[in-house]
Amino acid sequence: MNLFLDALAWLTDPAHWTGPGGVPTRVLQHLAITFAAVTAAAILALPAGVLIGHTRKGAGLVGAIAGAARAIPTLGLLTLLGLALGIGLKAPLIALIVLAVPSVLAGAYAGVQNVDTAITGAARAIGMNPRQIVFQVEIPLAAPVLIGGLRAATLQVVATATLAAYTADFGLGRYLFSGLKSRDYAEMLAGALLVAALALLLELLFAAGQRLAAKRIAAPAHEKGAAESDSPREKEPV
Amino acid sequence: MNWLSLNWPQVIELTRDHLLLSAPALLLSVLIAVPIGRLAQQRPRIGGALLGAASLLYAIPALPLLIIIPALFGVPLRSPATMVIALTVYGVALLVRTAADAFGSVDPRVREAAVAVGHSPRSVFWRVDLPLAVPVLLAGVRVVAVSTVSLVTIGALIGVPSLGTLLTDGFQRGIPAEVATGIIATMALALLFDALLVAAGRALTPWATIRHERPLPQEETT
Amino acid sequence: MNTRTKALGALALAAVLTATACSSGDPLSSGESDGDTIVIGSQDYYSSEIIAEIYAQSLEDAGFTVDRQFRIGQREAYLPEIEGGSIDLFPEYTGPLLQYWVPDTEARLSDDVYAALQGATPDGLRVLDQSPATDQDSYTVTKAFADEWSIATVDDLANVTTSMTMGANSEAETRPNGPQGLLDTYGVEVGFTPIEDGGGPLTVQALNDGDIQLAIIYTADPSIAANDLVSLEDTKGLFLASHVVPLASDNVNDEAAEIINAVSAAMTPEDLIAMNSRSVNEELPAETIAKDWLAEANLG
């Protein structure tokens, strides 16, 4: 396991922790583009997903869009956008948003759709209007699954954000590309370990968030039923 | 589409290469993930840790994984084996949890009934658990199939030919039609896999009716 | 046995068959080359692929069996495979190849570089005759930028008082021709941004957009003429002369070497630019470009 020892040596070398190409800067850049992509995807996809889950119309369309989007090779999208938009962060950011949308959309849609119709029926019976039903009943009850979608999207984006270094001096992907191209596999593996650590950290944060949502928002009495078992990603991470 | 009319033989050849990388990876993913999922479902204590570890594999960026695999398995970096192993790692990471859920979705009473009428444990697995788990399992396999076909393209970065070659080559030569062809052919191949899996699912679950054809909300969040 | 079990059995069988097929008769596998087949590789660069295809076709015309392993990455990735004997013939470039083996070489002129390269080539490998065709890294700026600061040589970059950013593949950052080399040899300080297209269209666009002021672009790149770019003269010899040169293993016999040497002798710098232009602008496959050139050179 020489390679791993070399990577650890690389990581513990103080020279790699300072300056504009240092680990802290790259980690922050990586987090920033991940956050930007997932946030943008959420702004685009959450309302649509909730609406579709609420009306229960257009589910087939969601499946088709999500399936097609998942089939797009991110590397291809990135190069095509790169040719159109030039270097910089625009191309990778758009590619990452496209990557994140299906998971966010599906999480929102599945979460809301899986809310027991008896509950929404009761809410209507006590005089809530559709707007109140969506915001005060469906979204809170859907929160664990909805966050599960965001969590899956974040995991994908944080691992794929390394591609940003294909067209920009940005993020942890720089270590991967320059390590690959100059056969400095220790640098490359160190970059990978940093990305994996970042992913693990975000996973734990999301897991905690989901637990909180399940306990506080989606009501402790709510049975661990269909909504939970349906999504493979929203359970205990580790 | 001047490029396509001049270069279609290359597209066909690369499609074949692409297929030869994705199909074995998908099959290996299923063959590895199903037993792990079954174990996790039967023994939740070991299972929880297994599932957690497996799904975290998905967080390893692809490029370093392609470098680590030759070091671990002793295969050459630029070889189909490296790609197939890497794709299998991601496939298993995506599939184990669904596999565990799939076996969890089998009504325990059905299993007990099978034991009561004299099925051996092996026979219960092959003739009861596995067939009944197919609908949920298939939903997971479809997701893995689509993401595997799409991921094969990164092989271009280590010199393993696939439709991904069109992406890097088109990028260097500045031919958008070549890049677009790579994307569209990859997506078409993914959808073809998906259609074949749906057909296979129908063949494998003749008792299932339309009501099993769910709009797949659950696996979209994987 | 009911239908269901049979279907499952068939699926499992198919799985095993496909998995086995993958491990044995795979056409993509890159094993050790045997004596009968000449394995030809190329860089992950369309121009290198065209030259490799010319080698392949000329050898095939003479009755040799070749195995094409094209577009297999950068020097750092493929040279170990050539040194390990799994690739027999590879179109290389004299300067960068010498620098790979002897990073601190002082040779700069074409004959010196070639002589040094012959000495530096490891046992079991040899370089065949170098071709008049050259394709070398050069610092390139836009015509407008060159006019604005009156730049004709790399030395003139010292005239520029604003900050400059260099765009190139990420490996340039650690290679002698990157920002560090520019600082050491010419005393010019520049920033760096990676653009992983080998001086391709994205790099050219970044130059035109002003995102970068300086790029490493190959002199045989047709985009230099097409985009009104200026390759700066390298007065202090930061870049080594870089001729196309075949790197061959002992598996390439004298007869094959003679064929390849004839190809190298016939290929001019203009030919190389013209072929690159056909690839980029006419979007032709390497196979066609190679075939046409061989016919024109009366080698086909």
Side-chain angles (χ1 to χ4, degrees), chain A residues 82-87 165-169 174 177-178 180-183, chain C residues 74 76 80 100 170-171 173-174 192-196 201-202 205-206 211:
Chain A
L83 288 176
L85 300 173
I87 63 162
Y166 205 66
T167 58
D169 185 10
R174 285 286 280 120
F177 277 110
S178 72
L180 175 73
K181 296 268 180 90
S182 53
R183 268 194 311 169
Chain C
Q74 309 287 331
E76 288 79 1
Y100 177 86
S170 56
E171 65 266 29
E173 203 175 9
T174 52
F192 182 79
T193 191
I195 309 174
E196 305 287 348
L202 203 50
Q205 197 186 340
D211 292 331

Side-chain angles (χ1 to χ4, degrees), chain C residues 179-204:
Chain C
Q180 195 56 47
L182 184 59
L183 182 64
D184 293 346
T185 310
Y186 285 94
V188 176
E189 199 169 353
V190 295
F192 182 79
T193 191
I195 309 174
E196 305 287 348
D197 68 343
L202 203 50
T203 308
V204 172

Side-chain angles (χ1 to χ4, degrees), chain A residues 52-69:
Chain A
I52 291 163
H54 175 73
T55 59
R56 302 182 187 234
K57 279 178 196 147
L61 189 68
V62 172
I65 292 175

Side-chain angles (χ1 to χ4, degrees), chain C residues 75-95:
Chain C
R75 196 163 286 112
E76 288 79 1
Y78 63 72
L79 261 181
E81 284 196 62
I82 301 178
E83 290 168 349
S86 55
I87 298 167
D88 299 317
L89 185 61
F90 205 102
E92 260 293 357
Y93 304 92
T94 51

Side-chain angles (χ1 to χ4, degrees), chain A residues 1 68 70-73 76 79 103 106-107 109-110 152 155 166 176 180 185 188-189 192 195 199-200 230-233 235-237, chain B residues 52 55-56 58-59 61 63-64 67-68 71-72 97 101 146 150 153 167-168 171 176 179 183 187 190 215 217-218 220-222:
Chain A
M1 291 290 86
R70 207 192 303 279
I72 301 174
T79 50
S103 296
Y109 146 77
L155 187 64
Y166 205 66
L176 308 191
L180 175 73
Y185 294 151
M188 184 167 189
L189 194 56
V195 174
L200 182 61
D230 251 0
S231 171
R233 276 239 164 248
K235 295 185 179 166
E236 293 304 300
Chain B
S55 42
L56 206 65
Y58 200 69
L63 269 178
I67 301 299
I68 298 169
L72 288 181
R97 205 172 286 271
D101 289 346
V146 169
S150 149
T153 52
L167 308 181
T168 51
F171 185 45
V179 180
I183 295 177
M187 290 177 74
Q218 68 278 36
E220 305 298 358
T221 53
T222 50

